Amino acid sequence: MDYDFTFIVTGVTVEDADAVESLFDTLDATLAKAGGQHMVSITMDGPRAVDAALHAATALRECVPGLRVIRLDRDLVGIPEISERTDRSRQNVAQWVAGERKAEHGPFPAPEGVAGRTQVWLWTEVNAWLRKHGMGDTDVAYPSREEMTEIDFALANAVSLTFKYAPTLGFDEGRQTVVRELQRRHMPKLVKVLTGSQTLDQNGRHVVLVADQHEPADAVMKRVADFDHGVMLVTMTDQFVGAELSTQEDASPSPEVVSVPTTATVRDWFELALEHPGASFTPGGMERAEPHPAPVKQLLLAAAA
C-alpha cells in the first residue's frame, strides 16, 4: 500500500539546492516551505501507515545527513481547499458540510478546529468520507488520526506505539474521542508514563488499549488478558486517565483482589481502582465451568485533568 506523508523537518532549507535535488532524484520527495516551516512530501509503501512513515523518515535522514524529521503535518483543509481538491464548487462542499447532500453514507467529518473564522478539517478524514461516495483519492492512502498519533510518538521518542481495542461493538465514537484527547493534550504525559513500563510487544511497540468509559469492564479485562505483557489502558471519565495493567504472574503480588461486577463499565472499574490503589481486579459473576482469567494487576494509575 502506498501512503502519502508530509513531514515537518529541520536541518535543511529550500535554499540548499543539493538537498532539494537529492531528495527529488533519490526519493521523489519534495521540499517546500510554508508558514515558516520546512516540509517534505513523500510517498512510501508499507504494510501499515506507521511502518511506511518510519521507513520514509529513515530514508529521508539517509538521503540528507543532518535532516531531522519532527512530526507529521496534519494537512488541515477548509472549504476552499476541499473544493479545489475535489473539483467541486464551494457551494457543493458547503452543502456536504451542512448535511444537505451526500449524507447517505454518514455525516461529514467533524471539524478539527477553526483557523481565523473558517472551519478546518483533517484531509485524511475528509478523503475517507469522500471515498465512501466514490470521490476520494484511491491511488494512495493517508494515515488515520490514530496512525498520525502513533507516527508522531515514534518520531519524537524513537519508539512506537499501537492502539488496540476490546471486540465490543458500538463504542467507536467514544474511543475516537479518547484518541483525539490523547493526541491534543496528553501525549507528553503518556510518553513519561510509558518510559520504563512493561507494555512493549514483540515488535518493540507500546500497546495502548483504548476504551470508551461506557464499555463493559469485563470485556476490556479479558482483552488485557490476551497479551503476554503489560498494556496501557486509557479512557476519559471526568478527566483523562490511564493505567498500566498486566495479567502476568511475574507482576508483583497484590495483597488485595477486587471482584468487578459483571454490569460494571470501564468508568466503574477506574473508580474502583482509585478506591483500591495497588489492588488486582478480576471479573465477577462468572460461571464456574468457564476458564477464569488471571487477575488484572494495576501497576500504575495516572490522571491528567
Side-chain angles (χ1 to χ4, degrees):
M1 173 73 72
D2 284 341
Y3 292 91
D4 266 7
F5 304 104
T6 298
F7 293 105
I8 304 297
V9 299
T10 60
V12 65
T13 69
V14 292
E15 288 78 22
D16 187 340
D18 290 339
V20 172
E21 182 178 358
S22 180
L23 287 168
F24 183 78
D25 291 345
T26 306
L27 300 172
D28 198 23
T30 303
L31 177 65
K33 185 177 182 180
Q37 294 182 314
H38 282 84
M39 299 180 289
V40 174
S41 297
I42 185 173
T43 300
M44 187 64 66
D45 67 333
R48 301 170 60 242
V50 178
D51 299 312
L54 297 182
H55 183 194
T58 299
L60 290 171
R61 289 189 289 261
E62 292 176 349
C63 182
V64 180
L67 182 150
R68 185 183 177 199
V69 182
I70 305 300
R71 60 177 175 83
L72 279 174
D73 176 66
R74 288 300 187 262
D75 196 9
L76 298 176
V77 293
I79 287 178
E81 291 78 19
I82 298 172
S83 171
E84 181 178 351
R85 295 188 188 190
T86 59
D87 197 26
R88 298 296 199 279
S89 70
R90 296 186 183 186
Q91 181 180 3
N92 278 354
V93 176
Q95 289 173 328
W96 298 343
V97 172
E100 297 172 3
R101 298 185 63 184
K102 301 291 185 183
E104 59 270 21
H105 295 294
F108 197 78
E112 186 70 5
V114 177
R117 297 182 179 180
T118 304
Q119 288 183 318
V120 290
W121 292 262
L122 278 175
W123 172 247
T124 182
E125 295 185 346
V126 173
N127 185 65
W129 183 87
L130 289 169
R131 290 183 66 170
K132 293 179 181 179
H133 296 83
M135 296 185 292
D137 292 338
T138 56
D139 295 335
V140 295
Y142 301 92
S144 67
R145 178 186 298 277
E146 295 87 349
E147 290 167 334
M148 288 180 181
T149 304
E150 293 184 44
I151 292 166
D152 281 351
F153 181 90
L155 293 174
N157 301 280
V159 294
S160 179
L161 62 82
T162 181
F163 291 110
K164 300 294 183 180
Y165 310 92
T168 316
L169 300 178
F171 297 96
D172 287 347
E173 183 176 348
R175 292 166 180 164
Q176 297 308 312
T177 299
V178 175
V179 171
R180 188 177 295 112
E181 180 70 7
L182 171 62
Q183 175 184 337
R184 289 177 175 174
R185 298 183 57 194
H186 303 297
M187 185 58 71
K189 186 175 183 68
L190 181 65
V191 170
K192 292 181 180 179
V193 171
L194 288 174
T195 301
S197 72
Q198 301 177 28
T199 58
L200 290 173
D201 65 12
Q202 61 183 3
N203 297 313
R205 295 193 297 260
H206 289 280
V207 176
V208 179
L209 184 60
V210 180
D212 180 276
Q213 64 170 321
H214 302 298
E215 287 189 51
D218 60 348
V220 177
M221 296 177 78
K222 291 174 184 177
R223 186 70 176 104
V224 173
D226 288 341
F227 299 95
D228 59 2
H229 52 77
V231 302
M232 180 62 65
L233 173 65
V234 295
T235 191
M236 282 182 60
T237 55
D238 297 327
Q239 57 187 350
F240 187 90
V241 290
E244 183 183 350
L245 306 172
S246 176
T247 60
Q248 300 308 297
E249 294 181 357
D250 58 356
S252 57
S254 172
E256 181 182 16
V257 177
V258 178
S259 177
V260 179
T262 56
T263 57
T265 64
V266 170
R267 181 189 180 98
D268 297 331
W269 182 15
F270 268 95
E271 290 177 352
L272 283 173
L274 290 171
E275 295 173 3
H276 302 274
S280 293
F281 300 90
T282 188
M286 301 182 69
E287 295 294 335
R288 290 183 179 273
E290 184 178 347
H292 204 289
V296 174
K297 172 65 178 175
Q298 174 193 334
L299 303 179
L300 173 68
L301 182 66

